[in-house]
Amino acid sequence: MAKPAQGAKYRGSIHDFPGFEPNQDAEALYTAMKGFGSDKEAILDIITSRSNRQRQEICQSYKSLYGKDLMSDLKSEISGDLARLILGLMMPPAHYDAKQLKKAMEGAGTDEKALIEILATRTNAEIRAINEAYKEDYHKSLEDALSSDTSGHFRRILISLATGNREEGGENLDQAREDAQVAAEILEIADTPSGDKTSLETRFMTILCTRSYPHLRRVFQEFIKMTNYDVEHTIKKEMSGDVRDAFVAIVQSVKNKPLFFADKLYKSMKGAGTDEKTLTRIMVSRSEIDLLNIRREFIEKYDKSLHQAIEGDTSGDFLKALLALCGGED
């Protein structure tokens, strides 16, 4: 599997629209929503081809031209999967992620997979912005929300990730060997005395949640040298439940983040029925970051393009909007 080089260039499919005129776009959207029935085609065209920064400007222009809130008007014109996608695109990224985290913790069951997917893959800067957005939008800290909604070791992992405290530096070989040793002990030797096991687990969590990506890549290499095993496979074999899922997600994200998302997209469309929430969340949140890289990993691993997968699995305006975000056939 091709790994991204250390300084891999991540590329999104959505960029600033050239010759952008926020007032013009605001007027076009207003016209598209006036009267009976809306011109969904026009709404889609504009929103899926502007960058998030430009969409925020359109919102401001709309308010100053019409004294109305664009988000509210859109909400009353579109519904279902399409609304989730379009309204998601209209939100600033940190507020969108904060909302997805909130939704994952709402109601009776927790959507652990969504919590893991977001918290395990965002950069320090992104996590800090999410924390601010969460506080601003829900008047509660993200940490408090996670605390009251999850428990045990899983809670500690999520809270650790949610502090956005990952080291930013390069690798440290001696440290990497020590870290690999801790990983080997926790993953290989399940019969260490219980007191010891807990402190080892905590150390392992600290390594995965706070070391820099380049350093962790080195730790995984040292782990293979030491044990002849791949750390990801070993975690899958030796651990279980949400803790296992969280650790696997961190490892996959460190190894190759676009591939991590390509796998998630594939699973969201595999088999009977579509997981529209996951599909939408990834397409919205990665469109300006690394969706082109995700597309490349997708076709390389699954022998069909993301474009084809979306075409075969969704329909109508939702399909059109997703393809516009996808940005082309591979």
Side-chain angles (χ1 to χ4, degrees):
M1 191 77 248
K3 299 271 188 290
Q6 291 296 303
K9 271 307 282 160
Y10 286 152
R11 288 162 55 233
S13 56
I14 301 287
H15 311 280
D16 279 347
F17 187 77
F20 172 61
E21 290 288 346
N23 284 354
Q24 218 172 305
D25 285 347
E27 282 165 23
L29 286 169
Y30 183 75
T31 308
M33 295 188 281
K34 228 169 55 190
F36 288 112
S38 53
D39 179 354
K40 294 210 179 66
E41 198 87 13
I43 296 172
L44 290 189
D45 259 3
I46 294 170
I47 291 172
T48 57
S49 61
R50 307 300 185 262
S51 67
N52 193 278
R53 188 184 62 77
Q54 291 174 331
R55 293 181 206 125
Q56 304 315 315
E57 283 186 50
I58 297 170
C59 277
Q60 286 164 351
S61 292
Y62 195 89
K63 186 151 252 170
S64 56
L65 288 171
Y66 305 107
K68 298 175 80 178
D69 181 59
L70 176 55
M71 289 286 269
S72 305
D73 281 2
L74 284 167
K75 258 182 207 154
S76 61
E77 294 293 330
I78 51 179
S79 58
D81 294 325
L82 180 67
R84 254 208 299 268
L85 183 79
I86 294 295
L87 294 167
L89 288 169
M90 292 304 299
M91 295 179 80
H95 290 269
Y96 179 72
D97 278 346
K99 185 178 183 184
Q100 299 310 305
L101 290 168
K102 173 91 162 52
K103 278 180 140 158
M105 294 184 274
E106 260 167 15
T110 305
D111 182 351
E112 291 86 1
K113 288 195 171 16
L115 295 178
I116 293 167
E117 175 206 301
I118 295 169
L119 293 172
T121 58
R122 303 307 190 249
T123 63
N124 283 341
E126 286 166 343
I127 294 268
R128 287 178 200 134
I130 292 168
N131 275 296
E132 279 172 39
Y134 201 95
K135 189 103 188 175
E136 191 184 316
D137 295 345
Y138 308 112
H139 313 293
K140 178 179 191 174
S141 76
L142 175 56
E143 186 180 325
D144 286 348
L146 289 166
S147 281
S148 53
D149 204 68
T150 56
S151 61
H153 208 57
F154 182 57
R155 174 202 289 170
R156 286 163 56 203
I157 295 164
L158 293 180
I159 288 175
S160 178
L161 292 171
T163 55
N165 244 344
R166 192 175 285 289
E167 293 159 6
E168 304 269 10
E171 57 184 70
N172 169 339
L173 186 56
D174 292 338
Q175 180 70 66
R177 286 186 181 133
E178 267 178 53
D179 290 347
Q181 182 60 46
V182 170
E185 284 177 38
I186 187 79
L187 293 172
E188 293 297 305
I189 312 160
D191 56 8
T192 41
S194 57
D196 205 357
K197 183 102 160 51
T198 313
S199 68
L200 266 178
E201 271 184 8
T202 305
R203 279 176 68 193
F204 186 51
M205 178 188 88
T206 305
I207 291 163
L208 285 181
C209 295
T210 66
R211 301 282 195 255
S212 73
Y213 272 31
H215 179 81
L216 282 171
R217 285 189 197 109
R218 170 61 68 189
V219 173
F220 301 159
Q221 286 164 1
E222 293 301 318
F223 183 86
I224 290 175
K225 279 187 204 165
M226 230 172 248
T227 65
N228 284 328
Y229 289 110
D230 172 75
V231 77
E232 183 186 330
H233 294 299
T234 314
I235 291 171
K236 283 175 178 167
K237 202 171 106 239
E238 298 292 334
M239 296 187 143
S240 62
D242 297 330
V243 170
R244 179 192 66 182
D245 293 346
F247 284 160
V248 167
I250 295 168
V251 171
Q252 289 175 339
S253 177
V254 168
K255 283 181 176 176
N256 184 339
K257 199 179 283 188
L259 176 59
F260 170 81
F261 285 116
D263 286 339
K264 289 255 175 258
L265 285 171
Y266 179 76
K267 287 190 184 109
S268 76
M269 294 181 277
K270 197 177 89 185
T274 308
D275 175 0
E276 289 89 0
K277 283 183 181 153
T278 302
L279 177 57
T280 300
R281 186 174 59 239
I282 295 175
M283 294 296 286
V284 168
S285 62
R286 306 318 288 182
S287 58
E288 287 184 47
I289 299 175
D290 53 5
L291 195 54
L292 292 184
N293 307 73
I294 293 168
R295 260 170 52 183
R296 205 175 57 229
E297 296 294 346
F298 195 98
I299 195 164
E300 201 175 301
K301 181 163 177 182
Y302 297 110
D303 268 346
K304 68 168 165 183
S305 67
L306 179 57
H307 192 281
Q308 281 170 310
I310 291 169
E311 255 181 342
D313 214 69
T314 58
S315 60
D317 292 316
F318 182 52
L319 163 67
K320 283 182 197 154
L322 286 169
L323 290 183
L325 285 186
C326 183
E329 171 66 284
D330 291 301

